Structures are given as structure tokens and as C-alpha cells.
Amino acid sequence: MAEPGGPAEDRKPQSDEAHSAFAPPKGVEPPLGPPEEDHPSSEFAVPEGLNPEPPPVPEGSAFTLPSTYRTSDAPPVFTPAYGIPVVQLSKDAPWQDRMRAMVRLPVSERPAPEPVQRQDDSGPAVPRVLDLTLRIGELLLAGGEGAEDVEAAMLAITSSYGLDHCEPTVTFTLLSITYLPSLVDDPVTANRTVRRRVPDYTRLTAVYQLVADISAEDSDIKLDEAYRRLAEIRRNRHPYPGWLLTTAAGVLAGAASVLVGGNALVFLAAAVGAMLGDRLAWLCAGRGLPEFYQFVVAAMPPAAIGVTLSALHAGLQPSAVITGGLFALIPGRALVAAVQDGLTGFYITASARLLEVAYFFVAIVIGVLTMLYVGVQFEANLNPEGALSTVERPVVQILASMVLCLTFAVLLQQDRSTVLIAALNGGVAWVIYAAIALTAGGSSVMATAVAAGLVGLFGQLVARLQHTSSLPYVTAAIGPLLPGSATYFGVLHIAQSNMDLGFASLARAAALALAIAIGVNLGGEVARLFLRSPAAAGQRRAAKRTRGF
């Protein structure tokens, strides 16, 4: 037998502990340092050299708690027993109301809309959706839409294509939209500048129809199809040729002159002056002159014809000729949009629009005032007191107001199906105004506000039935209410060095213009009261009163 400790004993099988996976093989020096069992092997252990505590916040950081803060004094944070109310949007309401409710809600309280358009497994193409949204918003803003309606349309596009965390921003010349995919992803922002404003309501109606089709639940319009339709809308020519627009401007001025007491010869003189002014303005536009100078040039021919008739003692009413020419130049829609933006909380856009309107008014005043100064030097008989007495001709004036609205609709490039409705709306507006201001002897400002309110109410209701914008039914209808005579008399008093009377008359013109704008906006808001509210609580949220702070 082998001796103990001999070779036979070396070949004896070792125990399991001797073959531990952590034991060094025979002939290998053990590692230096403490034995293995002294090292913790838990995966939750903090490695050596790593500080588990975050570094101290530097003094003055925004994340530093105030020295007066006490956790025990903090208000309790809890969820009410009845839960947090969730705002839901009614699918029966028009998309304008649903998206307007979304715009007026804070971003944190907006419900996540369900995407209408079916997308691929990869999700929506974010850059293309944002680009389509900006292009549609550009056409709406350039067509004269208010900032709130443009934001509502942009939000409808992004929601329909599955982008539920978008924030559109509209100013006077800049459109911007930001999409936040999540709290950890970078936001995507795109913007577009609006450089040209073309009053083409046929194109505006087509854009509204495109937005309605995209946001409809029973339609599936892919991005390529939406781009194709948008390109067709942009390529479409205006529905009326240039010569017809010039003729419409002349007929509008002639109808306005009849509205303030002119006869057939006055109608013809005002029409000729307005057509000359329109052609001169087109010539200046082709030469690249700014719009301010185009208004100055367009206001000169009617004033020049009125001064000439007064100097020749032709027995006509020069004031009616000049007033008729001013009706075709006063920017009524820009003023209504400015006041509407201010009432809905878009103060930057409202201020820019009001500044634009002020520039246009100054341009008109300069053009007329230049001709009136020439007339005063040649001792033209321009008597504002005699011009104020007008003969009441109800039938003739109602027809003149309807013709004025019809030609105004042609100048705005409206669709032929909306021209007659706008003319009827304007005729009703003039009847209401004349009944209060002329027959009953009431305040002209109050009469203007009431008539404009009915115009906005009727236009908004018709637009909801047609699922389109209310501008084609409202803008042309306020034509008979524009303060053309007050503007002319103010300028005439200034030309005759009666500064007090002149500025008083211009202030009255501004009051009438604001009455038109507020009346139209109020009529539109009243029209929405007859419709089902998009909010589940039964009310359409608006900005809260700040009480001065």
C-alpha cells in the first residue's frame, strides 16, 4: 500500500470546495489584497469611488429651496374625491368650435384628440405635417382671417394627423408651430412668414373646405392628397378679370354716392373717379411702390373730380362724389380683424393690424387733403354744412346699398354663390341703420353697432350651415356702414383750417369704425350661443378677467 501522503493520495478526488470557481488553480499565485469574502457581491452595492449623493446645489440656483420653506408648512397635495374633471370635445360640433375650444384651453388641460387620418406603422411624418399646417395657415392669414381662427385651423390639421402636442402661434406676419413628441425628446419647431396679403375669398373658402375634409371622421386624406389639393388651390386663378374689378370699384363708388344723396350724374362722376384711382393704384403696384402710396394715389382722382365740379358750379354735390370714392378705399375688413384679435386676446396681432389701418387712413387723408388744398386755393365752393342735408329715398337707398355690397363682394373675389347672400345681408343692415339713425333720429354710432351686430349674426349662422368661413358673408355686407362721409368732412374741415371740427369729425369716423368691428364680433359670438358648445361642461372657455394684474 502506498504510504500516506504519497502519489496515490495525490490522485485522490478532491472535495467540491477545492474546485470552487473562485479558487485560483494550483500553481497560480493568489491575488493580493483581502480575501474574496470581504468584497460585497450585491449588484445594488455602490462601486468604490462613486459618490451616491448628488453634488450640492450652488447658492442662488433656481432649484434651491428658499430659506423660509418648511416641508411641514407646505399645502397638502391631493386628488379630490370626485376626481379631476376632464375636458371632452363633442364630435357633433363643427371643427371651428372644437379647435377654438382647444386654443382657448391651457396646453396642460387640452385633451388628447384622436387622429382622424390613418397613418402607417412608422407614425406621422412630423416635418411634412408641420409644413402643410404652416402653408394652410399662411393662406388663411393672408386672406384676412383672424388670428384665433388661423390657430384653430392649424390645430385641426395637426390633430387630424396624430400630432397631439402642438402649439401654434400666430402674429401679424409670422406663423410658428412647435411639436413636443415627449418629455425626453427634443421639440420640433417650424415657422413661416406671410409677406403678401391678397383678398381672395374664393381661395379662402377652398382652404376652409380642405381643412374640413381633413378633420372629418369619415374621410381619409393622406398627406400627398392634401398637398395636391393645396397646390391646386394656390394655382387657381382669380374668378374675376381685372377689367371687371375696375368696373366694380367704379360702381361701388357710384352706389355709395347715391346712398349719401347723389343723383345719376353724381353716380357717373364718382364711378369715373374711382376707376381712375383704381387704375393708378394698379400702375403704382406694378412699379413696386408700397401700399401706402397706392392708397394716396387712389384717393386723389375722386377728390380731384369733386373739386373740379365745385369750381365749375355744375350744380352737383361734390361731397357725394368724394365720399363715394372713399367707400372703395376704407379698409373695413382689416379694422374688423384688428378688433376681433384684440377681443380674443391676440394683442400683438391686434396692435399691428390697427397700425396698418391707421397708415391706410393717413394715406387716404393725405390724398384727399392734397386735392382739397388745391380746391381751396382756387376758391372752390366746398361747403360741408350744405352737404350734410340728404334726401331720404328708402327704395333708392336700399337698392344702392345692395349694389354697393354686390360690387364689394366682387372686389373681394368671392364665389358667385355667395355674392347675392352678401348683398341681401348688406341691404338688411342698411334698413336697420336707417330705421334707427334716420327715421327714429337715434345715435348713428348705436345704429351702426346694431346693424353690424346683425350682419355678424346672420353671416356666422350662414357660414355654419355651409361649413365655411363667415368672411364672405360679413365683409361685403358692412360696406354701407363704413364711415366715408365722416372721414371726408373731417378732412375738409382740416383743409379749411377748422382743426377742432376736423379732428372731431375724424374721431366720429373712428367711433363708427370701432362700432362696426365690435358689432360684427359680438354678432358672431351670439351666433355661437345658438349652437351646441364643444366643451363637456356646457360652456366655451375664454380668457379670465385679470382685474388689472
Side-chain angles (χ1 to χ4, degrees):
M1 295 183 62
E3 297 180 0
E9 188 173 353
D10 293 340
R11 294 191 300 268
K12 184 179 179 180
Q14 301 293 327
S15 63
D16 293 339
E17 295 179 0
H19 291 282
S20 174
F22 300 98
K26 186 175 181 181
V28 177
E29 296 294 334
L32 300 176
E36 180 186 356
E37 52 267 16
D38 292 345
H39 292 277
S41 59
S42 174
E43 59 180 337
F44 300 101
V46 179
E48 183 179 357
L50 180 64
N51 187 5
E53 297 295 332
V57 181
E59 188 69 23
S61 173
F63 300 96
T64 307
L65 294 177
S67 58
T68 57
Y69 178 80
R70 296 293 183 271
T71 306
S72 59
D73 299 334
V77 180
F78 65 94
T79 302
Y82 52 83
I84 299 176
V86 178
V87 178
Q88 298 179 353
L89 303 179
S90 173
K91 297 182 180 180
D92 298 332
W95 69 265
Q96 295 97 325
D97 277 354
R98 289 187 284 110
M99 293 301 108
R100 189 178 286 108
M102 292 274 286
V103 169
R104 295 187 177 185
L105 285 173
V107 180
S108 59
E109 299 180 12
R110 291 179 184 173
E114 299 179 1
V116 176
Q117 308 300 329
R118 292 188 295 271
Q119 302 294 334
D120 300 332
D121 296 336
S122 59
V126 175
R128 297 193 67 195
V129 173
L130 297 184
D131 179 70
L132 176 67
T133 303
L134 290 175
R135 291 177 182 271
I136 290 178
E138 177 189 10
L139 289 180
L140 293 177
L141 189 62
E145 271 291 1
E148 186 180 39
D149 294 327
V150 176
E151 284 197 2
M154 295 172 66
L155 203 58
I157 299 298
T158 56
S159 301
S160 300
Y161 285 106
L163 305 184
D164 54 351
H165 291 89
C166 288
E167 184 65 22
T169 303
V170 176
T171 58
F172 185 58
T173 57
L174 181 65
L175 297 171
S176 177
I177 187 167
T178 300
Y179 170 61
L180 183 63
S182 65
L183 295 178
V184 296
D185 295 327
D186 295 333
V188 181
T189 301
N191 54 63
R192 196 174 185 88
T193 302
V194 179
R195 303 188 184 277
R196 288 192 60 193
R197 301 180 183 275
V198 181
D200 189 342
Y201 283 3
T202 301
R203 179 181 296 175
L204 185 70
T205 303
V207 174
Y208 255 81
Q209 186 60 46
L210 175 60
V211 176
D213 292 342
I214 292 176
S215 58
E217 295 185 359
D218 55 350
S219 66
D220 183 21
I221 300 179
K222 300 296 185 181
L223 280 173
D224 293 337
E225 175 67 16
Y227 268 106
R228 185 190 64 79
R229 290 183 56 179
L230 185 62
E232 290 180 355
I233 294 173
R234 298 179 70 96
R235 284 196 303 264
N236 283 344
R237 299 177 62 86
H238 299 308
Y240 306 108
W243 65 267
L244 184 58
L245 296 180
T246 301
T247 305
V251 176
L252 187 153
S257 65
V258 173
L259 199 64
V260 295
N263 53 22
L265 293 178
V266 172
F267 176 94
L268 182 61
V272 171
M275 287 189 289
L276 287 176
D278 182 77
R279 286 293 90 190
L280 288 177
W282 276 102
L283 181 61
C284 293
R287 297 291 182 178
L289 284 179
E291 201 169 8
F292 177 86
Y293 301 105
Q294 297 176 28
F295 271 82
V296 173
V297 172
M300 285 183 175
I305 292 179
V307 169
T308 303
L309 293 177
S310 178
L312 294 177
H313 303 285
L316 301 178
Q317 290 181 315
S319 60
V321 175
I322 300 175
T323 301
L326 294 181
F327 268 84
L329 298 177
I330 297 177
R333 175 54 204 167
L335 180 65
V336 172
V339 176
Q340 179 181 356
D341 290 341
L343 294 177
T344 52
F346 294 84
Y347 300 114
I348 297 178
T349 307
S351 302
R353 288 185 189 271
L354 285 176
L355 185 60
E356 181 188 39
V357 171
Y359 270 104
F360 290 161
F361 266 102
V362 171
I364 295 171
V365 168
I366 291 175
V368 176
L369 197 58
T370 302
M371 295 294 102
L372 292 184
Y373 270 128
V374 174
V376 170
Q377 297 301 322
F378 284 93
E379 299 181 356
N381 186 19
L382 297 170
N383 184 13
E385 300 299 332
L388 286 174
S389 59
T390 58
V391 181
E392 293 188 14
R393 299 170 295 176
V395 178
V396 175
Q397 289 177 334
I398 292 174
L399 292 178
S401 65
M402 295 178 64
V403 171
L404 189 154
C405 296
L406 189 145
T407 52
F408 203 172
V410 173
L411 288 176
L412 293 173
Q413 304 281 357
Q414 291 187 198
D415 188 74
R416 292 176 175 84
S417 60
T418 64
V419 170
L420 291 179
I421 299 177
L424 291 175
N425 197 10
V428 173
W430 174 257
V431 170
I432 299 299
Y433 170 80
I436 297 176
L438 301 180
T439 304
S443 171
S444 59
V445 176
M446 182 188 67
T448 301
V450 173
L454 292 177
V455 167
L457 175 63
F458 180 75
Q460 193 67 238
L461 291 177
V462 175
R464 295 311 174 89
L465 293 177
Q466 300 294 331
H467 301 286
T468 184
S469 172
S470 62
L471 293 183
Y473 307 102
V474 171
T475 305
I478 64 175
L481 306 176
L482 294 175
S485 58
T487 303
Y488 162 68
F489 293 140
V491 175
L492 180 57
H493 281 299
I494 293 176
Q496 295 177 345
S497 300
N498 298 324
M499 297 299 178
D500 295 337
L501 294 177
F503 285 111
S505 185
L506 291 179
R508 180 172 174 271
L512 291 173
L514 291 177
I516 293 174
I518 295 176
V520 169
N521 182 264
L522 183 60
E525 294 294 331
V526 171
R528 297 187 183 101
L529 297 179
F530 294 100
L531 302 175
R532 184 176 179 181
S533 176
Q539 61 182 359
R540 186 167 59 91
R541 295 190 180 184
K544 296 181 179 179
R545 189 157 61 103
T546 59
R547 298 183 183 273
F549 55 85

